[in-house]
Amino acid sequence: MALPIILFAFGVWLLQLQPALPPLAWAAWLATSPLLLALLQGDGGLSRVLRRIVILATALACGFAWAAWQAHVRMADALPPGWEGRDITVVGVVATLPQIYERSVRFEFDVEQLQTPDAQVPQRIALSWWGSGGRDGAAARLPEVHPGERWQFTVRLKRPHGLVNPHGFDYEAWLLERGVRATGYVRPKGGHRRLETQVQSPAYAVERARERLRDRIQSALGEAPAAGVIAALVIGDQRAIPPEQWQVVTRTGVNHLMSISGLHVTMLSGLAFALVNFAWRRSARLTLALPAVKAAALAGLLAALAYALLAGFAVPAQRTVYMLAVVAAALWMGRATAAREVLAIALLVVLLIDPWAVLAAGFWLSFGAVAIILFVTAGRLKTAHWLVTWLRVQWAVTLALLPVLLALFQQVSLISPVANALAIPLVSLVVVPLALAGAVLPFDGILQFSQWLMNGCLLALEWLGGLPDAAWEQHAPPAWTVAVALMGTVWLLLPRGFPARWIGVIAFLPLLLITPELPPQGSLRLTVLDVGQGLSVVAQTRNHALLFDTGPAFGPSADSGNRVIVPFLRASGISRLDALVLSHDDIDHTGGALSVIQAVPVAAMLSSLRDLDPLLLLGPEERRCAAGQSWAWDGVQFEMLYPDAHTHDAVKLKDNERSCVLKITTHSGSVLIPADIERHGERTLLATAAGQLRADVLIAPHQGSRTSSSEAFVIAVAPRTVIFPVGYRNAFRHPHPEVVERYRQLGSAAHFTDRHGAVMLQFGDDGIKVVRQREIRRRYWLDPPDPGAAADDPGMFW
C-alpha cells in the first residue's frame, strides 16, 4: 500500500510544478486501468510485474489528476481584473481569528452575498481594516471584529499578488492553499455594519474558541516575555512571537517546538489515553461495556483532534491526527497495522484534503522526520535501551533533515541536538500541558508558571545561540546535491552490519562544496529585487558585493531586509557586503536596513541620511555620498555622480533630491542607479555630469514618477533597457504612463518588478543578458508576465 500512496503524492507534487494547468480531458485514460488489470490476470511472473507497473502508474496519474481537478476548481474562483480597485459591497462572515497589528486588524472573510450589481468576488477573501486616529504618537483606535460575526462591508480588492524573487517565499501559493483568492481592505467610509454577532458553524465555533483562549492568555500574561510563545503553543498564533525570539529558536534549531508540532499533539493524546485508560479500568461496568483500551484510544484521538483544531490544523498536526486515527481504528477492529502503512495513510488523507500541502516546508519536514524515525527504529531485531534509542533517533533526524534545511532555509543549527535535548522534554511534557490547563482553568497562576518556565528555556536557548558558530549558514545547494545527500543519509543509517556505511558521508560533499558560480573577472551580476514599492539592488563582482537600498518596511516585524534581501544574499552565497548604500531618508529605500545590518556583516556604508539618524549609529562607519567618489572591484568601476556638497547643505531641499546616484561600468556595458532624484537632481546632473550619464541600463528614477525622468535626462542617459521597481497596484500609480511612453519612444526595453518579479542582469563578454524571475519560475497560480514583454523582446539580450 505504501508505494502506490507515495507515487500518488509524487503525482500531486508534479502538478504543483506546472507552469500552466493541463486540461482535464487527458485523465479519461485512467478509465482504461481496470481493463488493463483484467487483461493482465495470470500467475506468470511477467503478468505480475506488468500489473504492478499499471497499479503504480495509475497511482501516479491519479495524484496528478486529483491535484489538477482541485486546482481548476480553486483557480476558477477568481476576482476578474476589471473589479480590482473598485468599491464592492459584500455581506459575509469573519472566518478566522483576527490578527491585530499596530494600525490594522486583518482577517479572512467568507463572502455570502454581493450588494453591488454585476460584481464578481471569490468565496473567501483576506481583508485589512485600518484603525482611526493614531496621530502624534497616539495608538490607533482599532475596529472590533470577532470570528463568526456577519458583517456588511464596502471593500476594495485585488487579485493575489506577491513578491517573486530567487529563493523567496511564494505568497501567492500560500494564499492559494488557504483558499484566499483576493485580498483588500475595508473602506473607512463604506457604511460597514455588523448584521449578526454569532453565525452557527463548526468552523466558526472553533475560531471563536481560539479567540477566547487568546484573550485569556493576554489577560493573564499581559506583556510577559514569553507570552507570545505561550499563545503560539496553545492556539498556534505564531505571529505573537517577537522577531528576536524567532531568531533565537531558529539559531538553536528548536523552532519546530514553537508551533503546534506533531510531537505536542502526540504528547497530549498520550496523556489523554493514559488518564482515560487508568480511570476506565477502575470501573467494572465501564470495562464490560467497552474495553478500556478502545475507550482510551478514542479519548486520545479526540484530544488530539481538539488540540489540532484549536491550533489551526497545520500540516504537522494533521499528519499526527490522521496517524492516530488509523491506530485507533486498528485497535477498535483488532487489527495490527504496520507503522509505515499508518504514515502512508496519513500522507494520503493530507493530500486528498489539501493537495497544496506539498508546497509547505512543514509538509516535508514533518513527514520526513517521522519517516526517518521509523527507518531507524522499526523492524529491528533487538530492542535497545530507551536512552540509546533516543540518541539514535536524534542523530538520525538531525542528519536526515540537514539537506532539507539547507535547501529550504540555507541554515542549520549545529547546537540543535543540545538545544532540543533541553527544550523537547521541558516544552512538550511540562510547558504545553500547563499552558493548556491554564488557558482553560480560571487560575492565572498556572499560565504564569508556564510562562516563567518558557522564559527560562528561552534564556538558556539565547545563551546557546550566542555561542560561536552555533549555526551553519551557506548558499542554496543545487537540487541534485540534496537528492544525493538524502541517499547518503539512508546509507549511513542502515542497520549495523551493512558494509561500508561510511561511504554515505561522501554523498554530503557536493551539498557542502559545490558553490554558486561567481561572475568572471571584469563582469557584473546585478539583481533588482522585487520588494514592492521601493528599491533594492544587489551588485556582485567576482570577489565583492554591494547593496544599493534596502526596500520598504511591511510592518512592525516584517521588512524587505528579513523577508527578501537577507534570504537572497544567503542563498546566493553572499556572506558579507563590502558596501551598503542608503540613498536617502525614505522608508521605501531604508525600511529593511536594520535587518540587513543585523544579519550580514557590512564593511562600509555610504548614504545621504541626516546626521544622528539611528541607522548611522547602529551600522558601520558611514561616509556621505559625494560626487567624485569612485573605486574599482575586480575590473568593474563604481562612481558616485551625485549629490555634491552644495546639495547636502541645502536645508530646504527634499530628501528625494539628496539621493545618491551610482554608476557602475563594465567592459560590456553600464548601469545607472539614480534612486529617487526628481527634476532638480536631474538638472544638476545634466549641468555637472552630462558626459557621464550615458548608460545601457537605467533603474528608473523615483519608480517612474511623473516628477522624474524628464525628457532631457532620458535623452542624456539613452538606456537600452529601463527597469521600474514598483509595487503591484501601488497607491502612487507608478510608473506614470507618460514616463513609460517616453522611454519606449527612445527604444528602451522596459521591465517592471510588479509584472516580472526580480530582474537579473549579467554583464559579460557576450553582452548584457536580462532574466526575469516570473518567466523562469512559472507556476500556474502566478500571473504570467504581460504578452508585450515576451522573451524575444529585443531588449532581453544584446
Side-chain angles (χ1 to χ4, degrees):
M1 181 191 295
L3 186 55
I5 291 176
I6 291 173
L7 284 172
F8 179 92
F10 187 64
V12 172
W13 177 69
L14 283 178
L15 185 278
Q16 309 305 347
L17 300 180
Q18 301 307 304
L21 282 178
L24 293 177
W26 68 269
W29 77 268
L30 288 173
T32 64
S33 180
L35 178 60
L36 288 174
L37 292 175
L39 293 174
L40 293 172
Q41 291 298 324
D43 297 330
L46 180 60
S47 296
R48 287 197 299 269
V49 171
L50 291 177
R51 282 200 304 271
R52 187 65 171 169
I53 291 174
V54 171
I55 291 172
L56 296 180
T58 302
L60 175 68
C62 283
F64 191 88
W66 171 255
W69 177 63
Q70 291 286 297
H72 274 285
V73 171
R74 188 158 293 183
M75 292 296 291
D77 185 29
L79 177 72
W83 282 99
E84 287 188 292
R86 297 173 60 180
D87 284 355
I88 305 173
T89 301
V90 298
V91 173
V93 182
V94 177
T96 58
L97 179 68
Q99 296 295 325
I100 301 173
Y101 296 90
E102 184 179 3
R103 296 184 177 275
S104 67
V105 176
R106 301 179 188 178
F107 52 90
E108 293 176 17
F109 190 73
D110 286 339
V111 178
E112 297 176 322
Q113 301 176 27
L114 297 174
Q115 303 290 343
T116 302
D118 301 323
Q120 299 180 49
V121 174
Q123 295 180 2
R124 175 162 287 199
I125 60 178
L127 295 175
S128 296
W129 195 353
W130 295 88
S132 58
R135 299 179 183 276
D136 300 324
R141 294 187 296 274
L142 298 178
E144 189 172 332
V145 60
H146 305 283
E149 293 180 338
R150 179 173 282 121
W151 282 82
Q152 176 180 301
F153 291 131
T154 298
V155 300
R156 283 192 177 177
L157 301 174
K158 63 181 180 180
R159 295 160 63 87
H161 194 91
L163 308 178
V164 179
N165 294 284
H167 313 289
F169 174 69
D170 194 333
Y171 178 64
E172 294 177 47
W174 183 79
L175 288 177
L176 181 69
E177 182 186 7
R178 297 182 64 85
V180 176
R181 302 298 297 129
T183 63
Y185 62 94
V186 177
R187 295 280 283 158
K189 298 180 180 180
H192 46 265
R193 57 195 180 101
R194 185 186 287 111
L195 302 177
E196 192 173 343
T197 58
Q198 196 171 99
V199 176
Q200 297 303 320
S201 164
Y204 302 151
V206 169
E207 293 301 315
R208 285 194 294 269
R210 297 182 70 208
E211 184 182 49
R212 286 194 291 271
L213 289 176
R214 183 178 68 179
D215 294 343
R216 170 83 179 94
I217 293 169
Q218 290 177 343
S219 173
L221 301 182
E223 300 297 325
V229 176
I230 297 299
L233 293 174
V234 173
I235 61 172
D237 186 10
Q238 297 185 30
R239 293 185 180 90
I241 302 179
E244 56 273 13
Q245 290 181 354
W246 267 122
Q247 292 177 5
V248 170
V249 299
T250 300
R251 186 169 175 81
T252 53
V254 300
N255 44 320
H256 63 97
L257 293 176
M258 299 303 111
S259 59
I260 310 301
S261 67
L263 179 61
H264 297 156
V265 177
T266 303
M267 292 293 186
L268 184 65
S269 176
L271 179 61
F273 180 95
L275 291 175
V276 171
N277 188 45
F278 175 81
W280 203 274
R281 290 178 181 276
R282 299 299 182 271
S283 170
R285 182 177 179 181
L286 292 175
T287 305
L288 288 173
L290 183 69
V293 172
K294 291 186 177 181
L298 181 60
L301 176 61
L302 292 176
L305 178 61
Y307 185 31
L309 289 173
L310 288 176
F313 215 48
V315 169
Q318 290 182 44
R319 183 260 304 160
T320 305
V321 169
Y322 301 145
M323 290 181 68
L324 292 172
V326 174
V327 173
L331 284 173
W332 272 70
M333 293 185 295
R335 296 181 58 182
T337 305
R340 65 176 182 275
E341 305 294 340
V342 173
L343 183 62
I345 293 173
L347 173 65
L348 177 64
V349 175
V350 167
L351 294 180
L352 286 175
I353 295 174
D354 180 11
W356 296 276
V358 295
L359 300 175
F363 173 87
W364 299 97
L365 296 176
S366 175
F367 279 99
V370 175
I372 205 67
I373 290 172
L374 295 179
F375 181 72
V376 299
T377 57
R380 302 293 172 167
L381 297 177
K382 180 180 178 182
T383 302
H385 188 273
W386 67 268
L387 181 58
V388 175
T389 300
W390 183 81
L391 291 173
R392 182 182 297 145
V393 166
Q394 287 295 311
W395 157 249
V397 171
T398 300
L399 187 66
L401 293 186
L402 187 148
V404 181
L405 291 171
L406 287 179
L408 293 174
F409 308 114
Q410 295 82 58
Q411 178 174 295
V412 172
S413 175
L414 299 180
I415 59 168
S416 63
V418 177
N420 278 284
L422 165 69
I424 286 177
L426 179 61
V427 175
S428 296
L429 297 178
V430 182
V431 174
V432 169
L434 285 175
L436 287 170
V440 175
L441 298 174
F443 310 113
D444 291 353
I446 301 177
L447 266 177
Q448 291 168 353
F449 183 58
S450 68
Q451 188 279 146
W452 180 79
L453 289 174
M454 191 67 242
N455 187 48
C457 180
L458 288 173
L459 291 175
L461 293 174
E462 185 177 359
W463 180 82
L464 286 172
L467 295 175
D469 301 320
W472 169 267
E473 296 180 358
Q474 69 158 57
H475 60 277
W480 69 268
T481 66
V482 176
V484 169
L486 289 173
M487 289 188 288
T489 300
V490 173
W491 188 262
L492 277 170
L493 296 177
L494 287 170
R496 295 176 62 182
F498 275 84
R501 288 187 299 163
W502 60 269
I503 294 177
V505 176
I506 300 175
F508 279 80
L509 296 181
L511 180 82
L512 303 174
L513 299 180
I514 295 181
T515 59
E517 184 180 0
L518 296 173
Q521 183 74 14
S523 297
L524 172 70
R525 183 178 297 152
L526 192 85
T527 304
V528 182
L529 292 170
D530 180 11
V531 294
Q533 185 66 14
L535 179 65
S536 184
V537 182
V538 178
Q540 184 182 10
T541 65
R542 184 163 185 82
N543 299 305
H544 297 83
L546 175 145
L547 175 63
F548 190 102
D549 282 343
T550 59
F554 306 133
S557 60
D559 55 57
S560 300
N562 54 33
R563 295 296 174 88
V564 177
I565 301 169
V566 172
F568 172 79
L569 294 176
R570 183 178 295 151
S572 302
I574 300 174
S575 58
R576 69 187 298 273
L577 290 171
D578 297 281
L580 169 62
V581 179
L582 299 177
S583 63
H584 65 295
D585 188 12
D586 189 331
I587 195 63
D588 289 348
H589 294 250
T590 63
L594 182 57
S595 295
V596 171
I597 292 171
Q598 291 175 338
V600 183
V602 179
M605 184 162 69
L606 293 167
S607 82
S608 60
L609 300 179
R610 298 180 183 275
D611 293 335
L612 302 181
D613 187 288
L615 289 173
L616 302 183
L617 303 178
L618 296 172
E621 184 178 353
E622 179 257 2
R623 289 187 298 158
R624 293 283 190 184
C625 292
Q629 292 171 337
S630 65
W631 65 94
W633 287 340
D634 307 314
V636 178
Q637 187 70 30
F638 294 76
E639 185 176 9
M640 200 69 68
L641 303 184
Y642 181 88
D644 54 23
H646 173 74
T647 302
H648 279 301
D649 296 335
V651 178
K652 297 183 179 180
L653 200 63
K654 294 169 61 177
D655 281 326
N656 282 353
E657 300 287 21
R658 304 177 194 274
S659 296
C660 306
V661 176
L662 178 67
K663 184 177 182 181
I664 309 175
T665 305
T666 73
H667 61 82
S668 57
S670 58
V671 57
L672 184 66
I673 312 176
D676 274 0
I677 60 167
E678 299 184 10
R679 294 185 184 275
H680 171 85
E682 291 178 355
R683 286 195 300 268
T684 302
L685 280 170
L686 289 169
T688 61
Q692 299 165 277
L693 291 180
R694 173 73 179 87
D696 297 284
V697 178
L698 173 68
I699 313 298
H702 202 187
Q703 290 86 46
S705 166
R706 196 175 183 179
T707 61
S708 304
S709 296
S710 61
E711 185 174 355
F713 179 79
V714 170
I715 293 174
V717 179
R720 300 176 69 176
T721 193
V722 59
I723 301 171
F724 294 94
V726 291
Y728 180 69
R729 297 189 63 84
N730 63 86
F732 306 99
R733 300 187 177 182
H734 293 162
H736 195 279
E738 179 183 319
V739 171
V740 176
E741 183 60 26
R742 189 172 297 150
Y743 286 105
R744 290 199 184 278
Q745 289 180 357
L746 193 67
S748 304
H751 311 276
F752 308 84
T753 56
D754 62 333
R755 305 180 200 173
H756 305 131
V759 180
M760 295 152 284
L761 303 97
Q762 181 72 45
F763 294 72
D765 292 337
D766 52 358
I768 305 174
K769 184 179 181 180
V770 183
V771 177
R772 301 180 292 207
Q773 186 65 17
R774 278 188 182 262
E775 290 179 341
I776 63 174
R777 192 189 180 278
R778 293 291 304 277
R779 295 292 185 269
Y780 67 83
W781 59 83
L782 293 176
D783 283 339
D786 56 319
D792 59 353
D793 189 313
M796 288 296 290
F797 187 87
W798 63 84

